[in-house]
PDB file of all heavy atoms in Angstrom:
ATOM      1  N   LYS A   9     -65.684  18.640  66.484  1.00 85.00           N
ATOM      2  CA  LYS A   9     -66.336  19.023  67.741  1.00 85.00           C
ATOM      3  C   LYS A   9     -67.004  17.816  68.397  1.00 85.00           C
ATOM      4  O   LYS A   9     -66.976  17.665  69.615  1.00 85.00           O
ATOM      5  CB  LYS A   9     -67.368  20.123  67.475  1.00 85.00           C
ATOM      6  CG  LYS A   9     -66.693  21.478  67.328  1.00 85.00           C
ATOM      7  CD  LYS A   9     -67.694  22.570  67.046  1.00 85.00           C
ATOM      8  CE  LYS A   9     -67.006  23.931  67.006  1.00 85.00           C
ATOM      9  NZ  LYS A   9     -67.884  24.976  66.453  1.00 85.00           N
ATOM     10  N   ASN A  13     -66.095  16.078  71.953  1.00 84.00           N
ATOM     11  CA  ASN A  13     -67.128  15.777  72.942  1.00 84.00           C
ATOM     12  C   ASN A  13     -66.932  14.389  73.544  1.00 84.00           C
ATOM     13  O   ASN A  13     -67.358  14.125  74.654  1.00 84.00           O
ATOM     14  CB  ASN A  13     -68.502  15.869  72.284  1.00 84.00           C
ATOM     15  CG  ASN A  13     -69.625  15.747  73.277  1.00 84.00           C
ATOM     16  OD1 ASN A  13     -69.584  16.363  74.324  1.00 84.00           O
ATOM     17  ND2 ASN A  13     -70.611  14.929  72.948  1.00 84.00           N
ATOM     18  N   ARG A 476     -79.446  10.373  68.035  1.00 81.00           N
ATOM     19  CA  ARG A 476     -80.172  11.633  68.239  1.00 81.00           C
ATOM     20  C   ARG A 476     -79.457  12.775  67.535  1.00 81.00           C
ATOM     21  O   ARG A 476     -80.086  13.590  66.848  1.00 81.00           O
ATOM     22  CB  ARG A 476     -80.289  11.932  69.734  1.00 81.00           C
ATOM     23  CG  ARG A 476     -80.955  13.272  70.028  1.00 81.00           C
ATOM     24  CD  ARG A 476     -81.208  13.447  71.487  1.00 81.00           C
ATOM     25  NE  ARG A 476     -82.106  12.420  72.012  1.00 81.00           N
ATOM     26  CZ  ARG A 476     -83.435  12.453  71.875  1.00 81.00           C
ATOM     27  NH1 ARG A 476     -84.012  13.458  71.242  1.00 81.00           N
ATOM     28  NH2 ARG A 476     -84.185  11.506  72.351  1.00 81.00           N
ATOM     29  N   GLU A 477     -78.133  12.773  67.721  1.00 83.00           N
ATOM     30  CA  GLU A 477     -77.310  13.793  67.073  1.00 83.00           C
ATOM     31  C   GLU A 477     -77.551  13.780  65.560  1.00 83.00           C
ATOM     32  O   GLU A 477     -77.740  14.834  64.933  1.00 83.00           O
ATOM     33  CB  GLU A 477     -75.850  13.464  67.407  1.00 83.00           C
ATOM     34  CG  GLU A 477     -74.822  14.464  66.943  1.00 83.00           C
ATOM     35  CD  GLU A 477     -73.415  13.926  67.213  1.00 83.00           C
ATOM     36  OE1 GLU A 477     -73.209  13.236  68.225  1.00 83.00           O
ATOM     37  OE2 GLU A 477     -72.529  14.190  66.385  1.00 83.00           O
ATOM     38  N   ARG A 482     -80.150  15.804  60.680  1.00 82.00           N
ATOM     39  CA  ARG A 482     -81.051  15.556  59.552  1.00 82.00           C
ATOM     40  C   ARG A 482     -82.149  16.629  59.523  1.00 82.00           C
ATOM     41  O   ARG A 482     -82.518  17.134  58.473  1.00 82.00           O
ATOM     42  CB  ARG A 482     -81.686  14.170  59.677  1.00 82.00           C
ATOM     43  CG  ARG A 482     -80.728  13.032  59.416  1.00 82.00           C
ATOM     44  CD  ARG A 482     -80.533  12.771  57.943  1.00 82.00           C
ATOM     45  NE  ARG A 482     -81.595  11.941  57.397  1.00 82.00           N
ATOM     46  CZ  ARG A 482     -82.042  12.036  56.154  1.00 82.00           C
ATOM     47  NH1 ARG A 482     -81.549  12.958  55.355  1.00 82.00           N
ATOM     48  NH2 ARG A 482     -82.985  11.244  55.712  1.00 82.00           N
ATOM     49  N   HIS A 487     -77.774  15.835  54.763  1.00 81.00           N
ATOM     50  CA  HIS A 487     -78.081  14.634  53.974  1.00 81.00           C
ATOM     51  C   HIS A 487     -77.539  13.427  54.719  1.00 81.00           C
ATOM     52  O   HIS A 487     -76.625  13.567  55.529  1.00 81.00           O
ATOM     53  CB  HIS A 487     -77.372  14.630  52.613  1.00 81.00           C
ATOM     54  CG  HIS A 487     -77.477  15.904  51.876  1.00 81.00           C
ATOM     55  ND1 HIS A 487     -76.604  16.220  50.867  1.00 81.00           N
ATOM     56  CD2 HIS A 487     -78.327  16.937  51.966  1.00 81.00           C
ATOM     57  CE1 HIS A 487     -76.918  17.408  50.388  1.00 81.00           C
ATOM     58  NE2 HIS A 487     -77.972  17.864  51.029  1.00 81.00           N
ATOM     59  N   PRO A 488     -78.058  12.271  54.380  1.00 81.00           N
ATOM     60  CA  PRO A 488     -77.403  11.067  54.907  1.00 81.00           C
ATOM     61  C   PRO A 488     -75.924  11.040  54.511  1.00 81.00           C
ATOM     62  O   PRO A 488     -75.092  10.523  55.242  1.00 81.00           O
ATOM     63  CB  PRO A 488     -78.175   9.922  54.254  1.00 81.00           C
ATOM     64  CG  PRO A 488     -79.505  10.510  53.936  1.00 81.00           C
ATOM     65  CD  PRO A 488     -79.255  11.952  53.622  1.00 81.00           C
ATOM     66  N   GLY A 572     -84.888   9.016  60.212  1.00 69.00           N
ATOM     67  CA  GLY A 572     -85.353  10.346  59.850  1.00 69.00           C
ATOM     68  C   GLY A 572     -85.061  11.292  60.993  1.00 69.00           C
ATOM     69  O   GLY A 572     -83.968  11.256  61.580  1.00 69.00           O
ATOM     70  N   MET A 573     -86.072  12.099  61.322  1.00 69.00           N
ATOM     71  CA  MET A 573     -85.869  13.063  62.386  1.00 69.00           C
ATOM     72  C   MET A 573     -86.420  12.565  63.702  1.00 69.00           C
ATOM     73  O   MET A 573     -86.209  13.155  64.739  1.00 69.00           O
ATOM     74  CB  MET A 573     -86.543  14.370  62.021  1.00 69.00           C
ATOM     75  CG  MET A 573     -85.991  14.948  60.748  1.00 69.00           C
ATOM     76  SD  MET A 573     -86.967  16.351  60.252  1.00 69.00           S
ATOM     77  CE  MET A 573     -88.573  15.633  60.140  1.00 69.00           C
ATOM     78  N   SER A 574     -87.192  11.487  63.603  1.00 66.00           N
ATOM     79  CA  SER A 574     -87.765  10.974  64.838  1.00 66.00           C
ATOM     80  C   SER A 574     -86.817   9.937  65.418  1.00 66.00           C
ATOM     81  O   SER A 574     -86.326   9.075  64.716  1.00 66.00           O
ATOM     82  CB  SER A 574     -89.126  10.342  64.543  1.00 66.00           C
ATOM     83  OG  SER A 574     -89.066   9.659  63.312  1.00 66.00           O
TER      84      SER A 574
ATOM     85  N   ASN B  45     -92.371  13.449  59.424  1.00 81.00           N
ATOM     86  CA  ASN B  45     -91.277  12.962  58.586  1.00 81.00           C
ATOM     87  C   ASN B  45     -91.668  12.963  57.110  1.00 81.00           C
ATOM     88  O   ASN B  45     -90.833  13.215  56.246  1.00 81.00           O
ATOM     89  CB  ASN B  45     -90.853  11.550  59.017  1.00 81.00           C
ATOM     90  CG  ASN B  45     -89.808  11.594  60.138  1.00 81.00           C
ATOM     91  OD1 ASN B  45     -88.873  12.394  60.085  1.00 81.00           O
ATOM     92  ND2 ASN B  45     -89.987  10.757  61.142  1.00 81.00           N
ATOM     93  N   ALA B  48     -91.539  16.486  55.964  1.00 82.00           N
ATOM     94  CA  ALA B  48     -90.152  16.943  55.846  1.00 82.00           C
ATOM     95  C   ALA B  48     -89.435  16.285  54.678  1.00 82.00           C
ATOM     96  O   ALA B  48     -88.330  16.673  54.320  1.00 82.00           O
ATOM     97  CB  ALA B  48     -89.413  16.647  57.140  1.00 82.00           C
ATOM     98  N   VAL B  50     -88.368  13.300  54.745  1.00 79.00           N
ATOM     99  CA  VAL B  50     -87.431  12.288  55.229  1.00 79.00           C
ATOM    100  C   VAL B  50     -87.960  10.901  54.907  1.00 79.00           C
ATOM    101  O   VAL B  50     -87.227   9.985  54.563  1.00 79.00           O
ATOM    102  CB  VAL B  50     -87.185  12.462  56.741  1.00 79.00           C
ATOM    103  CG1 VAL B  50     -86.354  11.325  57.300  1.00 79.00           C
ATOM    104  CG2 VAL B  50     -86.522  13.795  57.010  1.00 79.00           C
ATOM    105  N   ASP B  74     -83.445  16.975  51.178  1.00 83.00           N
ATOM    106  CA  ASP B  74     -82.730  17.444  52.368  1.00 83.00           C
ATOM    107  C   ASP B  74     -82.451  18.941  52.273  1.00 83.00           C
ATOM    108  O   ASP B  74     -82.643  19.682  53.237  1.00 83.00           O
ATOM    109  CB  ASP B  74     -81.409  16.674  52.539  1.00 83.00           C
ATOM    110  CG  ASP B  74     -81.639  15.209  52.885  1.00 83.00           C
ATOM    111  OD1 ASP B  74     -82.612  14.939  53.616  1.00 83.00           O
ATOM    112  OD2 ASP B  74     -80.875  14.351  52.420  1.00 83.00           O
ATOM    113  N   ARG B  77     -85.637  20.904  52.631  1.00 84.00           N
ATOM    114  CA  ARG B  77     -86.021  20.949  54.041  1.00 84.00           C
ATOM    115  C   ARG B  77     -85.181  21.989  54.781  1.00 84.00           C
ATOM    116  O   ARG B  77     -85.689  22.822  55.527  1.00 84.00           O
ATOM    117  CB  ARG B  77     -85.836  19.571  54.679  1.00 84.00           C
ATOM    118  CG  ARG B  77     -86.139  19.526  56.166  1.00 84.00           C
ATOM    119  CD  ARG B  77     -86.116  18.101  56.690  1.00 84.00           C
ATOM    120  NE  ARG B  77     -84.776  17.527  56.705  1.00 84.00           N
ATOM    121  CZ  ARG B  77     -84.352  16.562  55.900  1.00 84.00           C
ATOM    122  NH1 ARG B  77     -85.167  16.045  55.003  1.00 84.00           N
ATOM    123  NH2 ARG B  77     -83.126  16.098  55.991  1.00 84.00           N
ATOM    124  N   PHE B  83     -87.517  23.002  62.537  1.00 85.00           N
ATOM    125  CA  PHE B  83     -88.141  22.007  63.412  1.00 85.00           C
ATOM    126  C   PHE B  83     -87.881  22.311  64.875  1.00 85.00           C
ATOM    127  O   PHE B  83     -86.817  22.780  65.257  1.00 85.00           O
ATOM    128  CB  PHE B  83     -87.586  20.612  63.106  1.00 85.00           C
ATOM    129  CG  PHE B  83     -88.075  20.030  61.818  1.00 85.00           C
ATOM    130  CD1 PHE B  83     -87.385  20.257  60.630  1.00 85.00           C
ATOM    131  CD2 PHE B  83     -89.227  19.249  61.788  1.00 85.00           C
ATOM    132  CE1 PHE B  83     -87.841  19.720  59.450  1.00 85.00           C
ATOM    133  CE2 PHE B  83     -89.680  18.714  60.595  1.00 85.00           C
ATOM    134  CZ  PHE B  83     -88.994  18.947  59.410  1.00 85.00           C
ATOM    135  N   PHE B  88     -84.444  17.436  73.852  1.00 74.00           N
ATOM    136  CA  PHE B  88     -83.153  17.052  73.264  1.00 74.00           C
ATOM    137  C   PHE B  88     -83.031  17.537  71.828  1.00 74.00           C
ATOM    138  O   PHE B  88     -82.707  16.785  70.927  1.00 74.00           O
ATOM    139  CB  PHE B  88     -82.942  15.531  73.327  1.00 74.00           C
ATOM    140  CG  PHE B  88     -83.195  14.929  74.663  1.00 74.00           C
ATOM    141  CD1 PHE B  88     -84.153  13.950  74.841  1.00 74.00           C
ATOM    142  CD2 PHE B  88     -82.461  15.361  75.771  1.00 74.00           C
ATOM    143  CE1 PHE B  88     -84.380  13.393  76.084  1.00 74.00           C
ATOM    144  CE2 PHE B  88     -82.691  14.802  77.021  1.00 74.00           C
ATOM    145  CZ  PHE B  88     -83.658  13.816  77.199  1.00 74.00           C
ATOM    146  N   TYR B  93     -72.507  18.948  71.980  1.00 85.00           N
ATOM    147  CA  TYR B  93     -71.123  19.427  71.905  1.00 85.00           C
ATOM    148  C   TYR B  93     -71.000  20.783  71.209  1.00 85.00           C
ATOM    149  O   TYR B  93     -69.895  21.284  71.033  1.00 85.00           O
ATOM    150  CB  TYR B  93     -70.211  18.395  71.236  1.00 85.00           C
ATOM    151  CG  TYR B  93     -70.690  17.894  69.890  1.00 85.00           C
ATOM    152  CD1 TYR B  93     -70.430  18.619  68.720  1.00 85.00           C
ATOM    153  CD2 TYR B  93     -71.370  16.680  69.784  1.00 85.00           C
ATOM    154  CE1 TYR B  93     -70.860  18.156  67.503  1.00 85.00           C
ATOM    155  CE2 TYR B  93     -71.798  16.218  68.565  1.00 85.00           C
ATOM    156  CZ  TYR B  93     -71.546  16.949  67.424  1.00 85.00           C
ATOM    157  OH  TYR B  93     -71.967  16.496  66.208  1.00 85.00           O
ATOM    158  N   LEU B  94     -72.132  21.352  70.824  1.00 85.00           N
ATOM    159  CA  LEU B  94     -72.063  22.681  70.213  1.00 85.00           C
ATOM    160  C   LEU B  94     -72.558  23.718  71.213  1.00 85.00           C
ATOM    161  O   LEU B  94     -73.396  23.421  72.066  1.00 85.00           O
ATOM    162  CB  LEU B  94     -72.909  22.725  68.938  1.00 85.00           C
ATOM    163  CG  LEU B  94     -72.423  21.847  67.781  1.00 85.00           C
ATOM    164  CD1 LEU B  94     -73.360  21.983  66.579  1.00 85.00           C
ATOM    165  CD2 LEU B  94     -71.011  22.183  67.374  1.00 85.00           C
ATOM    166  N   ASP B  98     -73.794  28.118  68.239  1.00 85.00           N
ATOM    167  CA  ASP B  98     -73.517  27.163  67.154  1.00 85.00           C
ATOM    168  C   ASP B  98     -74.735  26.300  66.854  1.00 85.00           C
ATOM    169  O   ASP B  98     -75.003  25.951  65.707  1.00 85.00           O
ATOM    170  CB  ASP B  98     -72.334  26.255  67.523  1.00 85.00           C
ATOM    171  CG  ASP B  98     -71.000  26.973  67.364  1.00 85.00           C
ATOM    172  OD1 ASP B  98     -70.982  28.035  66.713  1.00 85.00           O
ATOM    173  OD2 ASP B  98     -69.989  26.464  67.890  1.00 85.00           O
TER     174      ASP B  98
END
Side-chain angles (χ1 to χ4, degrees):
Chain A
K9 281 179 176 168
N13 187 45
R476 176 173 299 280
E477 185 186 325
R482 288 279 277 148
H487 313 160
M573 300 172 303
S574 38
Chain B
N45 273 317
V50 173
D74 292 325
R77 177 172 69 250
F83 287 90
F88 311 121
Y93 52 83
L94 294 180
D98 283 345

